[in-house]
Each structure stands twice: as C-alpha cells, then as structure tokens.
Amino acid sequence: MKIRYGCELTFEVQNPTPTQCLIDIHPDRRHDIRFEQPTHVIGGAGVTSEADVNGNCLRRFMAPAGVSTVRLLGVLEDSGVPMPSPLYKGGVPVQSLPTDTLIFLNGSRYCETDMLTATAWQLFGHMTPGGSMVQAICDFVNRHISFGYGHARATRTAADAYREQVGVCRDFAHLAITLCRCMNIPARYVNGYLGDIGVPANSAPMDFNAWFEAYIEGGWHTFDARHNELRIGRLPIARGRDAADVPMLQTFGPHTLLSFSVTTEQEIDPDVRVAA
C-alpha cells in the first residue's frame, strides 16, 4: 500500500524570525519513502535539516517579514496492516530498564506525574505492569475524555484533562502517558500522520495526530488512547517527552498562523506522482 502524506502551514511574522518545524517523516520510516518533495518554504529562505536531541528530523530557516508557507508532500510504502497488538507483552522492572528510557518515567511540561500518582495507583495498582495495564489505561482515558476540536487548548495538561474530561488527541496522549509513568512504565509522546485508512471516513478536516509509545517487553510499543484501536498507516513524525518537545511549527518571535492543511490518504496513482 502507498500512502500520500504532507502538509502546508502558512503563517505571518512582522520581522525576520528564526523558525523551525517538525513535519518530516521520522528517520526510522524514511527508508519507506518512494517519492518526496522535501520540506521547503515558499516566500522564505533556504531550509536546513538536522537531527534534534530526540533524533527527529528538524528543519530550520529564517522566515522573512510577511507571509511564508511551509510545504511537504510525499508518498510512502506501508504494509497495509496494523501493527501487532502488544497486549500480552510483560512489563520491565525499573531496575532492568535501559538508562535512556528512565527520562520517560519523569514528569514533564504537560505530564504532571506528581499530581496524578495517587489516582493512577488507585485505578491500576491491582494490575500487573505490562501491555494489559497500558491497554487498561488507554481504555480508561478513552472513556474519561470527551473528544472535540472545539475543546483544543494549547495550555491543557494531563491533570487538566483528567479534571475537565474534554480534549483533543494530544490530551488523550498526555493523560495516558502520565498514568503510565505513574505506574513505572516509561511512555513517550508521538505525533504524526494518521489517515482514515481502513476505517469510516471522518468528515472533519484532516489534522496531525498524537499517540504514544510505552516501553514494555521487547522495547517501545504503540498505543493510542484517542482512537483506542489498531490502525493502518501510522506515520510518525517526532517523538519526545510530551508535545512541548515536538512542535510542528516554532518561531522565535511572535507569529500568526493563517492556515494549515494536512494530507494522509491511500495513494491510488500507480505512477506515484505528487502534484506541485
């Protein structure tokens, strides 16, 4: 199966402003790319590429005063089947965890473990750590939070989402990540492209998606508290402690986001051509 992916972000700044973005397919899936018009800026300066501290593909450029548009388009080969369920994977004791996973047990900007530890242990303390516990956390978060684009708020934390019981996909991910960390299971935030492939189409405009990965037996495994089902065609962009580590667009000065669009759909053109 081939998946067409990409996005277009248009924003305005009043003065020349250093800017960076995380919209490229993550390096661990770049070998599956069959065609790509790389990230470029219309109305702006040249774009450089480097790996950030989490190994994500970071693009940097200087946005001139006025309007700039960042654009990426590509086609990627995918297996066309969901990732296998990690439900029966066991947990890894803290003393046996790899050192580089330990940071994902700590609280972070949007994941306040100190505020939710008592709640997590009350809800899940009777369970054995592992895939079944992580799935139970996903089930709880999926029931507890009511999804709605109108509920989006950039400052909402996991504790806020638990209390308010509303949010968007990043809030589902933040709450599930926090509850996992409280139960001594490393968990990290993932954003990426996820289209309506193999599921009924959603009438809402396509958007970036957020899910998470938990470190259990065998390594990092994918979970999704928002959709709470195995899905086809998850294309990761970036991983970090939470959304603060992986902003799609970051300007080092004020900016106004004028528009954005996201594409993630099954490619039906056998020639794998992408329009400019």
Side-chain angles (χ1 to χ4, degrees), residues 41-45 62-65 67-69:
V41 182
I42 302 171
M62 180 67 72
V67 176
S68 295
T69 296

Side-chain angles (χ1 to χ4, degrees), residues 100-171:
D100 61 0
T101 68
L102 297 179
I103 191 172
F104 298 105
L105 290 175
N106 298 339
S108 53
R109 164 68 179 88
Y110 290 105
C111 301
E112 317 100 314
T113 52
D114 56 337
M115 298 182 67
L116 289 171
T117 293
T119 298
W121 279 89
Q122 181 180 9
L123 291 170
F124 308 108
H126 64 286
M127 298 187 67
T128 301
S132 59
M133 177 185 283
V134 179
Q135 185 57 56
I137 288 172
C138 289
D139 294 342
F140 169 80
V141 173
N142 184 267
R143 294 191 305 267
H144 190 76
I145 298 179
S146 176
F147 178 87
Y149 289 107
H151 301 315
R153 189 177 80 237
T155 59
R156 182 181 290 114
T157 66
D160 292 334
Y162 177 76
R163 182 177 62 256
E164 298 169 12
Q165 300 184 45
V166 296
V168 291
C169 58
R170 61 180 263 160
D171 302 306

Side-chain angles (χ1 to χ4, degrees), residues 3 25-33 76-79 83 233-236 239:
I3 299 175
I25 297 295
H26 192 273
D28 66 9
R29 288 298 305 271
R30 294 200 64 80
H31 65 278
D32 292 323
I33 294 174
L76 179 145
E77 187 81 34
D78 189 76
S79 67
M83 294 181 179
R234 290 186 189 274
L235 310 183
R239 298 182 175 94

